[in-house]
Every structure is written in structure tokens, then in C-alpha cells.
């Protein structure tokens, strides 16, 4: 009886064990042939991470050159140095080797290599946040197990402050792709310079070759600028000297090729300082913008070049026109006076600009009328930006009828450059229409792009044509008379060259009126006058000598005298002789 009971129990237990086994077998088979998708993905990812990893390969940022291929911005590296203490056997020896290279005391390194209070070692500690490229290379040569050397991309600017505001600066981070260019060319061409990174799979197994990533990453494009380093140096040297001698609060010199729109030099000085791309102080960062494209000013009498051009273009005035000059008068309720409040009798059209008579330009505008004046000012681009490829350009200000800040008085004062605001680049670009047969070329700072083996040249583009070639030549001839007139610029002289130019003296606006204690002195000119190679703007802020003829014209004169030698610009007589013999005197780089 007891034997039968035991037999039944064993039979039941056997069936139970067989049932459990079948359930387990079915469950195992379900794992083999079906698995929850989320679980399956997690397991595969975990397995994949053991033999490979995904890394982001960074591109090289494009380099920047001047027109002669002198480097203005180039890539380099600093390095973050760390160490894994548990991988170090001879702590004293390692500390002694590292200390002089990374400039960290030996005992400090040694302490970081010791175990903690609980007797365990840190998995990794940082020894130096940044060391230079030389130190990084020395550490690589030592090849100490456990020492990590992480590259940190940086930008090097070989010309320093000389081209700081033109080039801008690059603020990097641990990855080049997350860095950003600011101001100047670095900011404007950020996307072009940055290139494109790529995420690639890298094997953790030593015997398996990594993916060839050299073709996976698109490096940034190199830029060749229109800037000439030597011309830039000359402009900066002369500007700094003028600011110091005049006790000025600052200034700008801008040099262009009016035939192509190329910018050859932009020199700025603000209270004796210029932007240093290596200085991260807030005071220095305030200097990063380029005043030649970012700062507005009321141009004063150099704006009379535009007034002269639009009057001739409209046909309302010509060289035979005269008017009665009262010295001072009060049109539209605003007092308008010549610079010396003296009447010139019945001056001619040309004399208005030679003697820089405010009463003359005001009369011209009143006779033309607003319906003719404003469309022609718009055609010159007054009140607009130029679209130059430098980050930070400020749009000009030209109140027009219908604007809340426009009135008849403002219309009249615009004729002599008061009540209108413009940047130095916008002013010189407008004047270039006279130098270039009536055409305004698109101002630009990039001469070419280099993408691998491909070189893409920037082609000159006509931005607008506000006046005819005939009008431009007539305006140019008056500018030549201005320069040769002793009453206007004290016989400015560049031996061997005919120069066209105009002085300017502008009041400085302040709340409620104009500052009686200072001026902005300026000069715009180009040479050779009949076939210009360069156009130049000189601007000095609050110089000791109030008038543009005394403060800015001598700066233009010295700059021009040295520039024609540096750029090998042929004197007028030699050039005309070569042209007569069928040669081309302008077969050169500029």
C-alpha cells in the first residue's frame, strides 16, 4: 500500500518536472526567435560598445591669408593634461619628469598620484587645464603610460593687433565644431571657415583597422583677403602718429581700389588703442568691432562730393551756374553759414566746392527740390549698408520726407553733410563713383576662396551706377581744383601725381545740438586723378586742429607720398608715355 502511494507521488512529481522543463524550453526558444524590440536594441548596443565606439571627427578650420599669402589666421593646438594614478608605478619619477614641462610643482603632481583616504586611487585627475603646443609635443615624445594629452583647438593670429579688427577672432572650446568666429572675417564667414564634422565608428579591437576618416570630414575653406599687410602696416603707422600728434580721441584710415571695390587697408585707432585678438578682457572686447564699418558719423563737407555729383547728374546745375552768397542766411528757420561766415560775392558752381560754401550747397538743394534730391541720394546708397563681407556693418541714417525725424531744415543741412549719418566705408564707397566713371563697385574683403585644389576668385561686381561717366569726370575735375587751391588745403602735393580730393570738417552731435568743443576732421581723395589706383579716406576724431584742411589733409598727403612708392604706382608722365607707346601701366597686382 505504502509502495503504491510512493509510486503515484513519484509519477506526479515526474510530470510536474517535465511540465516545468517544457515551459523553460519554450521560454528559451522565445528568446532565441522573438525578443522585445527595446530589449533587443539595448543588448545589441551594449555588445557593440565593447568592440567599437562612435566619435565625432573634427574638421580643420579654414586659414586666412592676405593678398600676398601672408598668414593672418592659422590653426594650432593647446593641450589638456591628465593622468590615471592607478596606472603609474614610479610616482616620484613621473612627477619629476612632468613638472618642468607643464609648469606645475613636482610635489603637487606627486600628491595627486597618491591614493585617497579610503586607500583607492582616482581613475583620472587633471594636471594642467592648458599647455602650449611645445609642451604637448614634449609629453607625446615621453609617451608615459597613464598620461592623457587631449588636444584643444586654438586660433593663432601672426599679425596680431595689426589686422585684429579686420580678421575678428575665434572662440574655441574642446571641440572645434562648437567654436565660433566673431566680428570681422571670422564672424562673417563662420560657416565657410568651420567646415563639417563627421560621426564615425572606431574599433576598440587593436587588430581591426579603423574607418579611414580622412575623406569623411570636410575641412573649412581657406580665405585670401584683399588686404595687403604692408599697406595695412603703413596706414596704421601713419594713423597712430596722427592721432598722437593731434591729441585726437581716435581715427580711421581706409584704402580701396575704386575700380574693383577691393579693400586694401582698414586702420583704426580708439583712444590710442586697437583690438588685440589674444586679449579676452572686456575692455579689449569693446574694441573688436570695426569702426570703419560699424560706427556712424556725420560726414560734414566731404559729403559735398555727393551734393556736387547729384546736382550735375540731375542737370539742374552746371559749371556756368552762379548764386549770390550772403555768407549767412536762414532758410526754413535754420541758420546756415559758411565756415568763416564771410560772403564770396557771386561764386561759381565749382567755387562752392573749392571754398566749401555751406550757403552754396544749401542753395543748390533748395533749387533742386526734395523730389529730385532723395532719389539721387538713394541711388548713391546713402542711408543703406554696402553689404561688405565684414561682420558688424551698420546701416546709414538718412531721414526722408514722411519720416518722423525729417523736416525742411534737415533737408537743407544734408547738403553739407549734417543731419545724415554714414560709416567711413559707406562714405568712401559713394565717393568711388566719381573715381570709377560713375560706377560704385561692391566693396569686399575676400579676394579668393581656396577649397582643396580649387581656387575661386571673387569677381568685381557693379553695385550701382548713380551718375554717368561724364558727370563723374566733371566732378573729378572740380576735385582736382580743390586740391590745387591754396585756400582749401594749403597746396597738398604728391610729386609726380595729380590728386583729386575734398576736405571735411564736421560738428559732433550731442543731445540738444552740437558740441562746440570738437570736430571730426576728414579728407577723401584718389590718385592718379585721371585713372585711379587707390581711393583713401582719412578721419580724425576731435583733433587739436579743428579743420580738416589742417588736421586730415596732411595725413592724406604723407600717406599718399609713401603709398605710391610702396605700391609702385607709376607717375603721371611715365604712365602717359607708356600708354602712348601702347603699353599698359596697370599690369600689376592692384
Amino acid at each position: 500500500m505504502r509502495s503504491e502511494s510512493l509510486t503515484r507521488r513519484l509519477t506526479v512529481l515526474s510530470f510536474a518536472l517535465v511540465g516545468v522543463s517544457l515551459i523553460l524550453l519554450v521560454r528559451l526558444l522565445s528568446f532565441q526567435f522573438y525578443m522585445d524590440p527595446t530589449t533587443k536594441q539595448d543588448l545589441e548596443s551594449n555588445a557593440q560598445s565593447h568592440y567599437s565606439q562612435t566619435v565625432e571627427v573634427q574638421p580643420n578650420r579654414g586659414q586666412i591669408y592676405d593678398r600676398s599669402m601672408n598668414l593672418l589666421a592659422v590653426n594650432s593646438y593647446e593641450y589638456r593634461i591628465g593622468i590615471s594614478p592607478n596606472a603609474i608605478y614610479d610616482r616620484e619619477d613621473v612627477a619629476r619628469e612632468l613638472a618642468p614641462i607643464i609648469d606645475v610643482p613636482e610635489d603637487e603632481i606627486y600628491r595627486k598620484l597618491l591614493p585617497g583616504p579610503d586607500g583607492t586611487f582616482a581613475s583620472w585627475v587633471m594636471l594642467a587645464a592648458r599647455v602650449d603646443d611645445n609642451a604637448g609635443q614634449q609629453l607625446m615624445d615621453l609617451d608615459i603610460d597613464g598620461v592623457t594629452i587631449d588636444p584643444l583647438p586654438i586660433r593663432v593670429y601672426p599679425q596680431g593687433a595689426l589686422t585684429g579688427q579686420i580678421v575678428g577672432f575665434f572662440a574655441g572650446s574642446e571641440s572645434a565644431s562648437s567654436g565660433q568666429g566673431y566680428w570681422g572675417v571670422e564672424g562673417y564667414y563662420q560657416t565657410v571657415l568651420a567646415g563639417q564634422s563627421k560621426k564615425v565608428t572606431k574599433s576598440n579591437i587593436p587588430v581591426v583597422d579603423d574607418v579611414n576618416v580622412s575623406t569623411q570630414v570636410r575641412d573649412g575653406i581657406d580665405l585670401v583677403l584683399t588686404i595687403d599687410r604692408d599697406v595695412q602696416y603703413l596706414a596704421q603707422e601713419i594713423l597712430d602718429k596722427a592721432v598722437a600728434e593731434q591729441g585726437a580721441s581716435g581715427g580711421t584710415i581706409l584704402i580701396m581700389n575704386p575700380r574693383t571695390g577691393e579693400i586694401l587697408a582698414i586702420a583704426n585707432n580708439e583712444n590710442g588703442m586697437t583690438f588685440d585678438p589674444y586679449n579676452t578682457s572686456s575692455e579689449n572686447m569693446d574694441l573688436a568691432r570695426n569702426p570703419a564699418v560699424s560706427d556712424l558719423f556725420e560726414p560734414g563737407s566731404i559729403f559735398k562730393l555727393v551734393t556736387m555729383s547729384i546736382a550735375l547728374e540731375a542737370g539742374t546745375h552746371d559749371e556756368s551756374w552762379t548764386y549770390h552768397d550772403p555768407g549767412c542766411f536762414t532758410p526754413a528757420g535754420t541758420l546756415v553759414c559758411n565756415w568763416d561766415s564771410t560772403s564770396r560775392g557771386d561764386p561759381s558752381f565749382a567755387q562752392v566746392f573749392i571754398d566749401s560754401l555751406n550757403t552754396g550747397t544749401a542753395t543748390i538743394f533748395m533749387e533742386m527740390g526734395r523730389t529730385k534730391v532723395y532719389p539721387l541720394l538713394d541711388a548713391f546708397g546713402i542711408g543703406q549698408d554696402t553689404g561688405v563681407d565684414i561682420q558688424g556693418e551698420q546701416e546709414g541714417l538718412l531721414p526722408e520726407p514722411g519720416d518722423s525725424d525729417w523736416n525742411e531744415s534737415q533737408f537743407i543741412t544734408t547738403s553739407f553733410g549734417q543731419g545724415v549719418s554714414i560709416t567711413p566705408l559707406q562714405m568712401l564707397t559713394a565717393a568711388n563713383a566719381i573715381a570709377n566713371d560713375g560706377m560704385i563697385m561692391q566693396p569686399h574683403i575676400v579676394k579668393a576662396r581656396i577649397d582643396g585644389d580649387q581656387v575661386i576668385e571673387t569677381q568685381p561686381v557693379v553695385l550701382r551706377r548713380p551718375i554717368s561717366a561724364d558727370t563723374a569726370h566733371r566732378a573729378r575735375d572740380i576735385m582736382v581744383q580743390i586740391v590745387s587751391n591754396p585756400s582749401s588745403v594749403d597746396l597738398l602735393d604728391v610729386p609726380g601725381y595729380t590728386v583729386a580730393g575734398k576736405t571735411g570738417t564736421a560738428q559732433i552731435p550731442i543731445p540738444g545740438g552740437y558740441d562746440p568743443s570738437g570736430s571730426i576732421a576728414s579728407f577723401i581723395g584718389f590718385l592718379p586723378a585721371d585713372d585711379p589706383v587707390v581711393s583713401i579716406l582719412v578721419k580724425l576724431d576731435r583733433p587739436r586742429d579743428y579743420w580738416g584742411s589742417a588736421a586730415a589733409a596732411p595725413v592724406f598727403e604723407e600717406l599718399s607720398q609713401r603709398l605710391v612708392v610702396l605700391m609702385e604706382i607709376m607717375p603721371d608722365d611715365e604712365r602717359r608715355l607708356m600708354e602712348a607707346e601702347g603699353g599698359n601701366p596697370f599690369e600689376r597686382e592692384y
Side-chain angles (χ1 to χ4, degrees), residues 173-188:
S173 66
E174 293 184 13
S175 71
S177 63
S178 61
Q180 174 71 40
Y182 295 93
W183 297 102
V185 173
E186 291 273 30
Y188 190 92

Side-chain angles (χ1 to χ4, degrees), residues 354-366:
I354 293 170
D355 288 342
S356 202
L357 303 178
N358 292 347
T359 59
T361 58
T363 301
I364 289 170
F365 260 35
M366 289 189 294

Side-chain angles (χ1 to χ4, degrees), residues 564-586:
V564 295
V565 176
L566 177 63
M567 294 180 61
E568 300 180 353
I569 300 174
M570 192 173 291
D572 292 347
D573 290 345
E574 293 181 24
R575 171 171 54 86
R576 288 167 185 152
L577 179 61
M578 179 176 286
E579 289 172 344
E581 294 174 349
N584 182 1
F586 297 113

Side-chain angles (χ1 to χ4, degrees), residues 306-346:
V306 177
T307 298
M308 173 172 59
S309 299
I310 66 173
L312 292 172
E313 182 68 17
T316 56
H317 298 75
D318 60 23
E319 291 82 352
S320 65
W321 176 85
T322 63
Y323 80 110
H324 176 69
D325 175 19
C328 286
F329 73 137
T330 313
T334 187
L335 179 64
V336 174
C337 290
N338 295 330
W339 63 272
D340 58 358
S341 300
T342 300
S343 170
R344 302 300 195 281
D346 298 312

Side-chain angles (χ1 to χ4, degrees), residues 110 268 276 288 326 349 366 374 378 398 405 441 448 453 506 528 587:
Y110 181 77
N268 295 296
D276 178 358
F349 182 83
M366 289 189 294
Y374 284 104
D378 289 342
L398 175 66
D405 54 350
M441 308 304 290
D453 296 331
E587 284 184 344

